[in-house]
Amino acid sequence: MTSAVSSPKRVGKINSKLNFLDVIEKRTLGLKVYQTGYDDTIALKLYSSFHQYEVNNTVHDPHVGGIFNLEFSLDGKLLVAACQGQQVLLFDAANQKLINTVESAHQKCVNCVRFLNDRHFATCSDDTSIKIWDVRSTKTCIKTLHGHSNWVKNIEWSEKDDVMVTSAFDGSIYAWNLKTQTENNMMYDKVFLMNGLMRMKLTDDGTKMVIATTNGYMIIIHDLNLMSLATDLRSFRPNLYRLMQISDQCFPVGTIYNYLFSPNRSRNRIEFIDDFPNEAEVISSLQIHPHGWCAVSRNINGDESEEWTTIHDIQDRDPKDYEDAFTYIEEEEPDESEEAEEPLNQRPTDLWMGYISLDEYRNHSRDGSRMSQNNWENFQLPAMGILNSGLIGLNSSYSAYFRQHPEQRNKVIKNLPRMTHFKEEKTVGKGFIKELCFSSDGRMVASPYDRGVRLLAFNEKCQELSVCVPDHPQELRTIVELNDYHKDIVVSCKFSPTHYQLVSGCLGSEIKWYQPVV
């Protein structure tokens, strides 16, 4: 049976040139067209007709290097490019002219650009610094922020908290109060810390944080509260918990934090995402849907032989979905004969390194039997050393907690399936991050594809995700391939927030512009 809306040409009956222009004219006048599916048809027609248009201002300076990131101003009038060669380029988006070049914006390559408001934007770099700029005068930056100890890769703005949030390869996430007078004053200090942190993004409403890792999983922090994040997640080690999930082992140092996953938790609730179409290892690129519905990521496997683009739902789910999302792992009974052979004065050792100093460990072990649950939750884990995971036979400081919550000792939370769509990519440009992006309406994903860009949709009709959520993961549909427009591998792309306009940047200093040709 053929559905009445099986073909885009029949939806709304507006495919003739006259009717299509009539709809566009009504939209410019603010009039609504009450025809089912006409928005989908218009979107499909526009996005499938994207083509490059020639401009005479292509950057040919070899010192610029790769175009690592592209960002439009909030009104879509200005485009800023972050360059491998330490420069920042500013373009007029209306005529595509290069209007300014900030030489030596940083001491090393510029990784990311983020507009904070209509006039100010921030840049971050491998030199570990973040700089704030005013578009009206870019001779010098207006503020330099130091705090990270490794390459800074992400800048986000939380309008809800009125702070800038940054992440770096040092594993830390900082929140900055830009209204303070001193450059290094941070509003919340270090709000999160973990090994293997790759990327961090916030939803537009500031209620969720999504973290991509180098260990094959992502983290959603629901009901985000930046003010209490550092306190709520103190001592929590995501990688250790993930190890429990994949190894079917149970460590008290992990299960003591099961409450962070509780669906009844009202702030900073943790959830892991681990369903990918491949054996993902490094999730290198991450973007959030403009409505906060989903996250698009790009990952590579361990030997870099595969590269995939994946869509995951990040919305709140029914608490009932989590009722059976756990497993109990039985502890092995110790062998009494082996226990008898162990020397009584044997020095305790453990698997987990890098949490506390040895002096603190000795004090912690000595006073462990007297340490209450509340004291343990307030215990700081700063530097290097050994932490007892509870695998060895010590009188653990977790005993008091598990006496009150015995059901948590051997309970490990399982992760719900979140993947909705996927697409395999070409494994080119190894070692470089490819930055994806959503269109402003959220219908389309632009993905770097060799020397061009692919526009990917949730289905062949280019519908919004809210009306075409699949029952099981499906392949993203290629709407158009913009092939071989660059002379080198494309590593960044960006849609305008206000116009049907797309830009892409490659490792060979080129920036290309695209728009529909109807």
Side-chain angles (χ1 to χ4, degrees):
M1 180 182 295
T2 302
S3 170
V5 293
S6 60
S7 171
K9 292 184 179 180
R10 299 180 63 184
V11 176
K13 299 180 180 180
I14 60 171
N15 286 281
S16 70
K17 184 176 181 180
L18 176 62
N19 285 339
F20 178 77
L21 295 177
D22 182 55
V23 169
I24 295 297
E25 182 180 2
K26 288 183 178 181
R27 292 183 64 186
T28 61
L29 297 175
L31 302 177
K32 295 183 178 180
V33 180
Y34 296 98
Q35 290 178 300
T36 302
Y38 88 95
D39 278 341
D40 300 336
T41 305
I42 291 176
L44 178 61
K45 187 174 183 67
L46 288 171
Y47 287 119
S48 61
S49 59
F50 260 68
H51 291 286
Q52 178 202 358
Y53 54 99
E54 295 294 334
V55 294
N56 297 320
N57 57 333
T58 302
V59 178
H60 296 290
D61 186 352
H63 299 293
V64 168
I67 308 298
F68 283 172
N69 189 234
L70 294 159
E71 181 77 2
F72 281 93
S73 58
L74 302 183
D75 58 10
K77 295 180 179 180
L78 188 68
L79 175 73
V80 181
C83 304
Q84 182 181 12
Q86 307 174 19
Q87 301 95 336
V88 171
L89 309 179
L90 287 82
F91 294 86
D92 184 334
N95 56 23
Q96 298 80 52
K97 288 185 178 180
L98 178 65
I99 57 178
N100 197 0
T101 300
V102 182
E103 300 286 351
S104 301
H106 285 269
Q107 296 178 3
K108 294 184 179 180
C109 62
V110 187
N111 295 319
C112 181
V113 179
R114 176 76 181 195
F115 271 88
L116 309 178
N117 51 47
D118 292 333
R119 290 176 5 207
H120 300 103
F121 66 91
T123 59
C124 62
S125 168
D126 282 0
D127 65 9
T128 74
S129 72
I130 303 105
K131 293 188 176 184
I132 312 299
W133 307 84
D134 191 320
V135 296
R136 297 169 298 180
S137 176
T138 56
K139 291 183 178 180
T140 58
C141 67
I142 60 177
K143 187 173 288 190
T144 302
L145 302 172
H146 297 283
H148 289 289
S149 60
N150 208 320
W151 301 349
V152 188
K153 291 294 184 179
N154 266 123
I155 304 172
E156 293 289 291
W157 177 256
S158 174
E159 187 174 352
K160 178 170 66 77
D161 298 288
D162 201 26
V163 296
M164 182 178 69
V165 186
T166 61
S167 69
F169 281 178
D170 58 8
S172 61
I173 298 176
Y174 281 90
W176 309 80
N177 182 1
L178 301 182
K179 295 180 180 179
T180 56
Q181 296 301 314
T182 57
E183 291 186 342
N184 294 326
N185 191 353
M186 290 164 287
M187 183 174 180
Y188 307 118
D189 201 355
K190 195 177 291 185
V191 298
F192 190 65
L193 176 66
M194 68 167 289
N195 292 328
L197 186 150
M198 187 73 186
R199 288 300 177 98
M200 174 276 306
K201 290 289 181 180
L202 302 179
T203 55
D204 280 350
D205 60 5
T207 60
K208 295 185 193 322
M209 176 184 287
V210 183
I211 297 172
T213 75
T214 59
N215 299 301
Y217 71 104
M218 299 194 299
I219 304 171
I220 311 174
I221 303 178
H222 298 278
D223 302 308
L224 178 66
N225 186 320
L226 285 172
M227 184 77 71
S228 63
L229 185 62
T231 301
D232 290 347
L233 302 188
R234 180 190 294 119
S235 307
F236 175 60
R237 294 294 178 265
N239 290 335
L240 179 57
Y241 204 98
R242 178 64 183 145
L243 180 61
M244 289 196 307
Q245 291 181 331
I246 63 178
S247 65
D248 289 330
Q249 297 184 67
C250 198
F251 316 136
V253 72
T255 57
I256 198 173
Y257 293 108
N258 281 345
Y259 67 90
L260 293 176
F261 295 82
S262 171
N264 298 321
R265 186 173 173 81
S266 61
R267 73 182 189 196
N268 296 328
R269 176 170 66 89
I270 295 292
E271 184 173 356
F272 288 175
I273 293 176
D274 65 353
D275 53 332
F276 290 89
N278 61 320
E279 293 293 330
E281 182 162 326
V282 177
I283 295 93
S284 58
S285 179
L286 179 67
Q287 294 292 334
I288 305 297
H289 190 279
H291 303 320
W293 293 341
C294 61
V296 59
S297 63
R298 190 143 173 172
N299 77 76
I300 56 175
N301 62 351
D303 59 4
E304 298 188 43
S305 62
E306 294 182 3
E307 193 163 346
W308 291 76
T309 289
T310 313
I311 304 288
H312 287 95
D313 170 30
I314 62 171
Q315 297 181 93
D316 293 339
R317 295 177 62 156
D318 191 326
K320 293 182 179 179
D321 293 345
Y322 298 89
E323 289 181 352
D324 298 322
F326 64 87
T327 183
Y328 280 108
I329 299 175
E330 296 296 330
E331 291 183 298
E332 294 184 5
E333 294 294 332
D335 190 328
E336 295 182 0
S337 61
E338 292 181 0
E339 282 186 345
E341 297 176 359
E342 292 181 358
L344 296 177
N345 61 347
Q346 183 179 12
R347 180 181 180 274
T349 58
D350 207 279
L351 300 177
W352 314 115
M353 306 294 295
Y355 292 150
I356 58 177
S357 67
L358 291 175
D359 288 340
E360 288 173 319
Y361 171 76
R362 294 188 185 100
N363 293 333
H364 164 53
S365 299
R366 187 182 306 116
D367 300 331
S369 60
R370 301 191 301 273
M371 184 172 285
S372 69
Q373 175 189 352
N374 290 335
N375 286 338
W376 173 249
E377 289 181 349
N378 293 325
F379 186 64
Q380 297 289 339
L381 300 177
M384 294 295 294
I386 305 172
L387 179 67
N388 176 21
S389 71
L391 292 176
I392 56 179
L394 294 177
N395 184 7
S396 171
S397 300
Y398 313 107
S399 299
Y401 176 82
F402 289 117
R403 279 196 298 269
Q404 299 178 34
H405 307 278
E407 77 283 356
Q408 297 296 331
R409 182 176 180 87
N410 300 100
K411 181 179 180 179
V412 177
I413 304 300
K414 294 194 299 185
N415 306 320
L416 297 180
R418 287 280 190 172
M419 181 171 60
T420 64
H421 296 81
F422 58 87
K423 190 75 171 180
E424 188 170 8
E425 304 281 6
K426 287 186 177 180
T427 53
V428 294
K430 291 185 178 181
F432 289 95
I433 296 171
K434 289 88 175 180
E435 297 285 1
L436 312 107
C437 70
F438 277 105
S439 59
S440 60
D441 56 13
R443 293 173 181 263
M444 197 69 52
V445 173
S447 175
Y449 189 66
D450 201 354
R451 301 185 184 216
V453 181
R454 283 197 299 192
L455 300 189
L456 308 173
F458 301 116
N459 65 9
E460 68 281 357
K461 298 178 183 178
C462 202
Q463 290 180 307
E464 293 186 354
L465 181 59
S466 58
V467 297
C468 63
V469 179
D471 294 329
H472 58 275
Q474 295 185 359
E475 188 172 2
L476 288 165
R477 302 303 179 94
T478 301
I479 299 302
V480 65
E481 288 187 9
L482 305 169
N483 291 323
D484 298 324
Y485 285 128
H486 285 271
K487 63 182 180 182
D488 211 329
I489 304 300
V490 174
V491 292
S492 60
C493 55
K494 194 70 175 182
F495 274 104
S496 167
T498 56
H499 302 94
Y500 286 100
Q501 188 177 44
L502 173 70
V503 289
S504 60
C506 74
L507 293 175
S509 307
E510 289 181 329
I511 295 176
K512 298 293 184 180
W513 302 75
Y514 313 86
Q515 67 182 14
V517 179
V518 181

